[in-house]
Structures are given as C-alpha cells and as structure tokens.
Amino acid sequence: MQSLKHQITVLVVASTLILAVSIMVAIGMQIKDTAVLACITKAKSDLSTGEALINFKYPGPWREEDGFLYKGNIRINNNNEIVDYISSLTGNTSTIFLGKTRVATTVKKENGERAVGTHASEEVAKKVLTEGKEYLGEAEVVGQRYQTAYKPLLDQNGNIIGMFYVGISKKFYDTLFVDSLTRMALIGIALTIMVFFGAIYFTKRVITEPLKLLTEETQKFTKGDFCSLYYPTKIDSNNEIGELARSIKEMGEWVQALNYQINKATQINAPVAKQIASGADSSFLEEECSNCIKRNVNREKQWGELSKGLNEVTLNQILNYMKEKDCSLSASEIARAVKLTKVTVRRYLDFMERCGKVNVDMQYGPVGRPLKLYRLDIEQ
C-alpha cells in the first residue's frame, strides 16, 4: 500500500505537470500569434520605408513602356540596385513587379539565381492587381512561405501596372517563434519547479509531518503510555488535523482518568468484592448501590453541569488527589501526580475555582511571575 506521502507527491507532480503543459500550450499559441503579427507589422513598415526610398532615389511617376517598367526616366527591369539597398536596410526580401512578373528582386531560386521573370501567386495577384488592395500575410514566394506585404504600383493615370513587395522569410519567423518559445519555456520550467517544491514543502509541513507525529503518539497511546500526549502543543493549527489532535488528546486524557478511577475503585471496593465472593446477602449490595446513587446525586448538586471539554472522571481524579494531600498544590505538582498535562489540569482547577470549590493563593518569588497554589475548600 502506498503511503499518504507518496500519494500526495504523485498528485502534486501530476497536477504541476498538467498545469505546466497547459500553460505552455496556451503561451505557445499566444507567442505564435504574436510572432505572426510582429512579422506582418514589420513587413508593412518596411514596405512604406522601401517605397519612400524608391521615390527619393527615382523621382517621377511609374510607367510601362514597350514591356518595360520605368520609374521616372529610370528603367527598373533588372535594375537590382534599389531592391538590394532596401533589403540591406530592412533585412527583408524585396521585389518590384510589372504586372505579376518580377522585374527586379532579391528573392532567389534554388540554384541561387535571382528569381527575375517568375510570377506572384494567383492569390496575391487577385488581391493587389485586380482589387487594388494591399496584401498582408503569409504567401508563397518562389516555392517558399513568407510573411509578406504587397501594394499596387499606379501610373500617373491611376492605373495599376505592377506591385511592390517586401517579405520576411518563414525561417526568420520560425527563428523568432522558437526563440520566444524557448525563453518562455525556460521561465515556465523554473516557475514549475518552484511551485512543485513549494507544494511538496507545504504538504510535508502541514499534512504529512503532523499525521506522522499523530501516528507515533497514538501508537504510544495504544501501549498505555498516556504521558506522551503532549503533541497538541506541536500541532498548533486550526485545520482538520489540529482538530483531530485535540480530539485524540481529550480521548487520551479521558481514558487515562478512567483507568485511574478503575484502579482506585478496585482498591476501594475490595471489601465489596470480598463480601460478594463470601456469598453476602443482597441487602449489602443494595446498600452499596444506594450509596453510589447518592454520591452521584451529591456530585450533580455540588458541581452542576461541567464545562465543555471537561469530564467527570478526570475531575474526580484531580479532586481525590487534592483530598489525599490536603495542602496547597501547584498545577505542575498535580499534573505530575495524576499524569496529565499541565494545561489540562489548569482547565479543571479554573473550573473548580469558578465553582468556589478551591481556594487560590499567590506565591510571590524574587523574580518572575507569581505561582498559583490551589487548596480544596473543605467547607464546600
């Protein structure tokens, strides 16, 4: 059978792992969305930067002439100077299209050559060339996926004659995503480890150690060692375990007191037992029963209802000892004699004091708190 400590450890580990995985999945999804948004935002910003550089370097309107694209008086076809410059500033790929055909680009084919003469995807061409809108988002560029930004190029009459593009390679996006996820994973792992050890420490301190202590004390209790019932001072909590400790303590004190009274009754009633063994008539037994009932009635009249947590057996145990000594006694002396805790004895003495059954004297020493001495009031 697995111990409670192992079961709680397994529960804590499983809960921590589930929580960590759930958080990592949620963070991963958020990082992915954030990385995509960051790439698109950068592409759009670089698109505006590139357009401003083109207008600054090559003033004049865009125009198409004899199948070539011009900016002002400069022919753009195979003029890769401007796209290279834009790429060097932004770190992105850059392309200028005539229609949907690349005429100047930094994008390269698999063989390493510039992808001049290749075409944009139909999805992009439809959005930009047909509808005249910007295209922002992932798109296929010469067989690879990029986070892209496209905008139409207009001639002086407002006709769409081409496109300008900047794009961030999916490799860059993947690197950004992986790096961000790795950092968050490391932070998540560190927090998970902290939560795990914190939970283990809390469980050990609040649950397993108090239960272990209770088990050790109750094992002593089952062997008749009632003097070991001091653990409530070690388990000072208001939760269920603390309540269990206090209940076991009260039960132990009650059993201890009952054991004391049984031993006492065995000695006191030895003559009665002898009379029974010798075959005494029933009148003797009836008289003893009557005396017992009278003693119980007198006790009810004398003490009234006991306070919560007190029991008659323990009260009689303390009372009988004080009768035997017939002198002023401290709570510590009584506790040692009747084998109860000092705290328990003081509760009963306080009750007897409220009932007016004991007299209390204060003994003052040279230093420290005064000592309370209790003496049974014989007149009561």
Side-chain angles (χ1 to χ4, degrees):
M1 182 180 67
Q2 272 193 331
S3 66
L4 180 61
K5 178 180 179 180
H6 291 157
Q7 292 176 347
I8 292 177
T9 301
V10 170
L11 177 62
V12 170
V13 170
S15 301
T16 304
L17 288 177
I18 292 173
L19 177 62
V21 171
S22 301
I23 292 175
M24 290 305 300
V25 170
I27 290 175
M29 295 174 63
Q30 182 63 39
I31 289 176
K32 182 179 179 181
D33 294 339
T34 302
V36 170
L37 180 61
C39 289
I40 293 175
T41 302
K42 184 179 186 305
K44 184 176 181 180
S45 174
D46 293 343
L47 187 72
S48 299
T49 300
E51 185 180 26
L53 289 172
I54 294 172
N55 290 331
F56 177 78
K57 190 172 181 64
Y58 305 133
W62 290 98
R63 62 189 176 88
E64 179 186 1
E65 184 177 324
D66 299 329
F68 294 98
L69 180 67
Y70 289 84
K71 181 68 166 70
N73 296 322
I74 305 299
R75 192 169 75 174
I76 301 299
N77 293 62
N78 295 311
N79 182 0
N80 296 308
E81 178 185 0
I82 188 62
V83 292
D84 287 342
Y85 182 61
I86 292 171
S87 293
S88 67
L89 291 178
T90 62
N92 303 332
T93 54
S94 178
T95 301
I96 298 175
F97 292 82
L98 174 59
K100 65 177 184 178
T101 303
R102 292 178 178 89
V103 294
T105 183
T106 60
V107 177
K108 294 182 179 181
K109 297 185 287 188
E110 292 183 358
N111 59 10
E113 296 179 356
R114 293 179 187 266
V116 174
T118 58
H119 297 158
S121 67
E122 292 299 326
E123 179 185 11
V124 171
K126 180 181 178 181
K127 182 77 175 278
V128 180
L129 297 176
T130 303
E131 299 178 8
K133 299 178 181 178
E134 288 187 355
Y135 180 93
L136 300 173
E138 188 172 316
E140 184 176 336
V141 178
V142 192
Q144 295 185 19
R145 305 300 295 182
Y146 283 70
Q147 293 297 335
T148 65
Y150 292 82
K151 72 178 303 180
L153 299 179
L154 307 178
D155 64 13
Q156 59 186 355
N157 297 319
N159 298 318
I160 300 174
I161 60 173
M163 299 183 292
F164 176 52
Y165 147 92
V166 293
I168 301 174
S169 171
K170 196 171 187 300
K171 292 181 180 179
F172 174 85
Y173 157 75
D174 290 340
T175 301
L176 177 63
F177 173 69
V178 171
D179 289 347
S180 299
L181 187 60
T182 300
R183 286 194 295 270
M184 292 305 300
L186 291 175
I187 295 173
I189 290 172
L191 292 176
T192 300
I193 292 174
M194 291 175 60
V195 170
F196 170 74
F197 283 106
I200 291 295
Y201 174 78
F202 176 82
T203 301
K204 182 179 179 181
R205 182 72 180 271
V206 177
I207 300 177
T208 56
E209 284 189 352
L211 288 177
K212 182 180 179 181
L213 182 60
L214 279 176
T215 301
E216 292 173 352
E217 296 296 339
T218 50
Q219 286 173 349
K220 295 178 184 178
F221 172 72
T222 57
K223 295 176 183 178
D225 183 8
F226 302 109
C227 296
S228 66
L229 296 175
Y230 293 99
Y231 51 81
T233 59
K234 299 177 184 178
I235 305 177
D236 187 16
S237 61
N238 295 322
N239 58 19
E240 290 79 358
I241 294 178
E243 185 64 29
L244 175 62
R246 287 185 286 273
S247 298
I248 293 177
K249 173 181 176 293
E250 292 177 2
M251 180 185 69
E253 292 174 350
W254 187 88
V255 173
Q256 181 183 2
L258 181 61
N259 183 60
Y260 176 86
Q261 289 297 320
I262 291 173
N263 292 335
K264 195 82 172 176
T266 301
Q267 297 174 1
I268 294 174
N269 294 327
V272 177
K274 186 176 180 180
Q275 290 287 344
I276 295 174
S278 64
D281 57 21
S282 60
S283 61
F284 174 80
L285 298 178
E286 290 176 0
E287 182 179 353
E288 287 299 317
C289 290
S290 177
N291 290 336
C292 180
I293 293 172
K294 289 178 180 179
R295 286 195 295 270
N296 288 335
V297 171
N298 290 335
R299 206 283 303 164
E300 291 291 338
K301 292 180 179 179
Q302 183 180 14
W303 299 104
E305 185 178 356
L306 292 178
S307 300
K308 183 179 180 181
L310 305 183
N311 63 78
E312 182 180 350
V313 176
T314 305
L315 177 63
N316 287 332
Q317 183 181 356
I318 297 172
L319 184 62
N320 289 335
Y321 177 75
M322 295 182 71
K323 284 181 179 179
E324 289 176 6
K325 291 299 181 180
D326 192 23
C327 62
S328 297
L329 300 167
S330 68
S332 299
E333 292 174 322
I334 299 172
R336 284 194 297 269
V338 299
K339 297 180 179 177
L340 293 169
T341 64
K342 183 178 177 181
V343 174
T344 299
V345 170
R346 188 176 287 114
R347 288 171 57 205
Y348 282 91
L349 291 173
D350 290 342
F351 170 73
M352 295 166 68
E353 182 182 358
R354 290 196 300 271
C355 293
K357 305 303 180 183
V358 294
N359 295 320
V360 182
D361 296 323
M362 305 298 290
Q363 186 180 76
Y364 295 90
V367 293
R369 296 167 57 184
L371 179 65
K372 268 189 174 184
L373 296 177
Y374 300 86
R375 184 184 182 93
L376 201 63
D377 190 347
I378 305 299
E379 298 180 359
Q380 293 290 337

